Amino acid sequence: MAKSAEQWSARPNFPQTHYVDSRIYTDREIFGEEKEKLFKPSWIIACHESELPNPCDYRLFTHPAGVPLIIVRGDDAKVRAFYNICPHRGNTILYDPSGNAKRMTCIFHQWSFDTRGNCLDISRAEQGYQNRFSKEDAGMREVKCEVAYGGFVWVNLLDECMPLREFIGGAMDILEPFMQEPMEIFHFHKAHLRTNYKLWHDTNSEFYHDFLHYFNRITGMMQPGYFDRKYTAYPNGHATVGSMQIQYDKYEGSKERAVGWPGLARGGWYMVDLFPGMTYNLRTSVMRIDTAIPLGPNEVVIEFRGLGLKRDTPEERAQRIFDHNMIWGPFGRNLHEDLLGVTGQGRAMREGTDSRWVIQGREENNTIHDEIGMRHFYAEWSRRMERPAYDPYREGKPEPVRAVA
Amino acid sequence: MNRTEQRQAVEELVYRSCLTLDNKDWKGFLALCDDDFRYHITAYSPEIRRDMTWLEQDKKGMDTLLTNLPRHNSDHSPITRHATVYTVELDEAKGEAAVVSALQVFRTQLDGGGSELFAVGRFYDTVKLNGSGPRLAKRIVKLETRQLGYGYHVPF
């Protein structure tokens, strides 16, 4: 039966852990708080070490909290991260998204810095600053940086932050056996979308939307073991999805994947969703990494990376690229469908549309169509934001709290 | 056919390839392709400083991809390919032509009909000249545009 305005606005008849107020996807104030409370204290993937193969190679990264960063491999081979902001007049220091720079020189007044963040030279320093200010006072702002979990470069903006290993906890245990060999990036693209970053993470956190994908409807969902895949929740909002065997030959134009992944069963597939907006996705022959960079409550850039093994032969690499593109490339079958889906959510939930609730109520013993992944995310979101996702403005009547399934 | 006529035939082949794809005439497009046709979409990423391949198919693979399109959920906004043939280098010994064309792709929204530039790049075509008429043997779509929003299912 269709709903009246009152019925539409009424809280869903689910426990408060099983739905969220859709204003958390559109409110500018909440978005500002998310940058401070979620993204700044979290460890975020900035790039992969194979993007910085040589000393003095650098890569730019816009941190989800808004800070422009330079990730650079030093002359000592150590990877470090700095603000891409000149300490002089606040200009951008490096403009190109990647390169090699023994000296990082600001184009504005030619102040230059080494790969360890030291200021090397201030133009006409003595004439202008006499003894009041020198290059020793003009270092770059360094932020925490570690290379870990498959050679990815992680950054954290807080000097006093939780250690990376503590932040991740046991969430990467499921993937660690498959990340013992060096990986190498072969694919990178960005998708700029009018939607909220959480909606993308939601899509990566639930498989019920496999109904969106023709490919999955006739492959994964039809196969034994599909409904046995389980979600496992970890502290700090992370979650994993267990494996299954995909029979690619069920899809016309596809075929059983000839190139596998060390240690991974043929056709295997594992996922790790990391709070607040990153996903590791190891599917048969390819590792895909998503990093969400929110630009506003209804605007996000998602960075997509595809990786193979550094030791790949040209033939193996070509096969991995083919496998990646079939499903996950910009012209791939599934990625376009997923991105179209979250863009539609962004359109329906933008400010003023009277979208009210998002239901996350499926319970199937934590298996593949259970919505535990999203519920777990929003439990952590609510804890860190000090706002319940089901009632972010505390307008509703208190309900008995039920533990997240 | 003299060289001018050959060049005209090659140019017309490039333009017909755009028209057939714009009109979703997949069979018409594939009829312009040689049996050994290979199709690639590539792009260079200044971010990772690597050439990337985003799509690679042979003629059979293209046929399957295009035939399967209605089974997927897709953006149904039509796209329009605007090609300008820049150079045609005829190699009579090989019976081939190497053709470079500029490409602009526009997308028109179904609701309201607003058009926007979707992508720019180039076609690098290899055209077979022997037989009944020129046929596409290989097409590399080299994109400058790498940000395609929510993407697209139909090859350019």
Side-chain angles (χ1 to χ4, degrees):
Chain A
M1 193 168 71
K3 291 182 174 180
S4 67
E6 186 181 347
Q7 289 166 328
W8 176 253
S9 299
R11 289 183 176 278
N13 189 22
F14 281 95
Q16 58 200 18
T17 50
H18 286 46
Y19 65 89
V20 301
D21 187 319
S22 58
R23 288 175 293 179
I24 67 169
Y25 301 111
T26 60
D27 186 286
R28 191 154 287 280
E29 182 188 328
I30 287 177
F31 175 69
E33 276 183 37
E34 286 178 315
K35 291 211 284 188
E36 288 298 314
K37 295 180 177 176
L38 307 186
F39 287 101
K40 260 192 185 171
S42 294
W43 284 91
I44 304 290
I45 295 171
C47 64
H48 187 257
E49 63 179 349
S50 62
E51 295 170 56
L52 311 161
N54 302 307
C56 306
D57 279 351
Y58 77 85
R59 184 79 171 82
L60 302 188
F61 176 65
T62 300
H63 190 280
V67 179
L69 295 176
I70 298 168
I71 316 298
V72 61
R73 187 180 289 280
D75 52 5
D76 57 352
K78 185 179 176 186
V79 178
R80 299 179 177 85
F82 304 98
Y83 280 16
N84 189 14
I85 301 174
C86 182
H88 175 215
R89 291 277 303 284
N91 209 324
T92 297
I93 297 173
L94 295 177
Y95 283 67
D96 291 347
S98 71
N100 186 279
K102 286 184 181 135
R103 276 184 172 227
M104 298 184 279
T105 303
C106 180
I107 61 170
F108 216 9
H109 304 91
Q110 298 287 297
W111 288 27
S112 62
F113 307 89
D114 68 17
T115 56
R116 303 182 192 203
N118 304 305
C119 181
L120 294 173
D121 189 43
I122 293 176
S123 313
R124 301 188 70 247
E126 285 180 22
Q127 293 92 329
Y129 298 114
Q130 298 83 40
N131 296 324
R132 297 172 294 124
F133 186 84
S134 69
K135 62 184 182 182
E136 282 69 34
D137 304 312
M140 297 170 79
R141 162 79 166 100
E142 185 169 5
V143 302
K144 297 275 185 189
C145 181
E146 287 192 37
V147 179
Y149 299 112
F152 287 90
V153 180
W154 299 76
V155 292
N156 194 305
L157 296 181
L158 299 186
D159 286 343
E160 304 300 326
C161 62
M162 178 188 289
L164 174 60
R165 291 275 163 192
E166 188 181 333
F167 174 73
I168 297 295
M172 292 296 290
D173 290 355
I174 197 171
L175 277 183
E176 288 272 26
F178 313 117
M179 298 195 298
Q180 300 303 308
E181 290 193 40
M183 290 189 281
E184 189 171 73
I185 191 164
F186 61 73
H187 176 91
F188 177 84
H189 87 275
K190 296 182 179 187
H192 186 179
L193 305 172
R194 294 286 173 186
T195 196
N196 185 276
Y197 78 93
K198 295 189 290 298
L199 295 166
W200 181 249
H201 200 68
D202 289 353
T203 294
N204 276 335
S205 302
E206 60 91 0
F207 273 76
Y208 187 38
H209 81 273
D210 269 350
F211 282 104
L212 168 69
H213 302 303
Y214 169 69
F215 186 99
N216 296 38
R217 290 200 301 274
I218 64 162
T219 57
M221 286 175 70
M222 301 300 291
Q223 291 166 217
Y226 173 83
F227 286 99
D228 296 333
R229 292 185 80 185
K230 279 215 165 192
Y231 286 96
T232 305
Y234 289 87
N236 298 323
H238 313 313
T240 65
V241 186
S243 187
M244 65 172 295
Q245 186 183 343
I246 310 157
Q247 293 173 335
Y248 290 93
D249 52 353
K250 300 290 183 195
Y251 178 81
E252 189 187 2
S254 186
K255 58 187 178 184
E256 190 175 283
R257 293 191 172 181
V259 178
W261 193 272
L264 185 67
R266 201 164 65 175
W269 184 6
Y270 286 99
M271 281 182 74
V272 179
D273 293 308
L274 296 170
F275 191 91
M278 298 160 286
T279 298
Y280 278 67
N281 202 336
L282 176 61
R283 184 168 172 162
T284 306
S285 58
V286 175
M287 178 72 84
R288 166 181 143 189
I289 303 292
D290 300 3
T291 308
I293 303 168
L295 304 179
N298 201 35
E299 189 176 3
V300 64
V301 167
I302 307 164
E303 293 189 348
F304 293 102
R305 287 176 166 79
L307 296 100
L309 298 175
K310 195 172 179 183
R311 66 164 165 85
D312 282 342
T313 62
E315 293 76 20
E316 288 170 333
R317 180 61 58 85
Q319 187 61 49
R320 290 191 206 284
I321 292 170
F322 182 87
D323 294 346
H324 172 273
N325 291 336
M326 169 76 78
I327 312 295
W328 290 337
F331 295 87
R333 303 276 66 87
N334 285 26
L335 188 69
H336 176 49
E337 291 176 323
D338 281 331
L339 295 175
L340 203 57
V342 292
T343 302
Q345 284 184 292
R347 190 180 301 150
M349 288 187 204
R350 67 182 185 269
E351 210 165 7
T353 64
D354 200 28
S355 167
R356 290 296 290 119
W357 313 105
V358 172
I359 297 171
Q360 299 158 352
R362 296 185 64 84
E363 293 183 8
E364 292 189 61
N365 194 29
N366 294 357
T367 55
I368 196 73
H369 285 187
D370 196 309
E371 290 172 335
I372 171 69
M374 288 191 290
R375 290 195 294 275
H376 180 62
F377 176 93
Y378 286 103
E380 178 68 7
W381 187 94
S382 302
R383 185 183 73 78
R384 291 209 201 186
M385 292 288 286
E386 302 172 281
R387 295 174 183 261
Y390 61 87
D391 187 11
Y393 309 103
R394 301 190 187 281
E395 296 165 330
K397 293 176 186 170
E399 294 176 32
V401 176
R402 179 176 148 175
V404 176
Chain B
M1 223 185 259
N2 63 34
R3 291 178 73 87
T4 303
E5 288 169 336
Q6 277 185 321
R7 179 177 171 117
Q8 282 177 343
V10 166
E11 287 183 1
E12 190 165 313
L13 175 71
V14 172
Y15 297 137
R16 281 188 187 281
S17 73
C18 293
L19 282 172
T20 51
L21 288 170
D22 286 357
N23 294 333
K24 299 187 174 70
D25 175 10
W26 314 134
K27 297 294 175 200
F29 171 73
L30 291 170
L32 303 175
C33 303
D34 190 69
D35 288 344
D36 296 328
F37 177 65
R38 303 286 302 186
Y39 180 91
H40 307 254
I41 297 179
T42 68
Y44 174 76
S45 165
E47 295 96 344
I48 61 171
R49 289 180 282 172
R50 285 174 189 271
D51 288 311
M52 302 181 291
T53 298
W54 282 3
L55 189 66
E56 184 180 0
Q57 294 290 351
D58 56 17
K59 189 172 184 179
K60 185 168 179 289
M62 283 294 273
D63 189 16
T64 304
L65 186 160
L66 296 166
T67 304
N68 274 338
L69 284 173
R71 295 173 178 151
H72 294 276
N73 289 300
S74 302
D75 174 22
H76 296 138
S77 309
I79 59 173
T80 312
R81 298 157 184 82
H82 291 246
T84 303
V85 176
Y86 279 173
T87 59
V88 178
E89 292 180 10
L90 300 169
D91 185 334
E92 288 176 1
K94 279 188 177 174
E96 286 183 359
V99 188
V100 179
S101 310
L103 172 70
Q104 296 148 25
V105 183
F106 294 86
R107 181 163 57 180
T108 301
Q109 298 298 329
L110 288 174
D111 187 2
S115 293
E116 61 188 6
L117 181 65
F118 191 25
V120 296
R122 284 184 183 165
F123 286 149
Y124 290 86
D125 291 332
T126 304
V127 174
K128 276 196 180 172
L129 298 170
N130 43 7
S132 55
R135 290 282 179 275
L136 280 171
K138 185 176 183 181
R139 166 160 288 174
I140 300 173
V141 184
K142 190 165 186 180
L143 291 178
E144 290 297 327
T145 304
R146 301 181 313 284
Q147 201 166 118
L148 297 170
Y150 41 70
Y152 209 69
H153 272 157
V154 184
F156 291 161

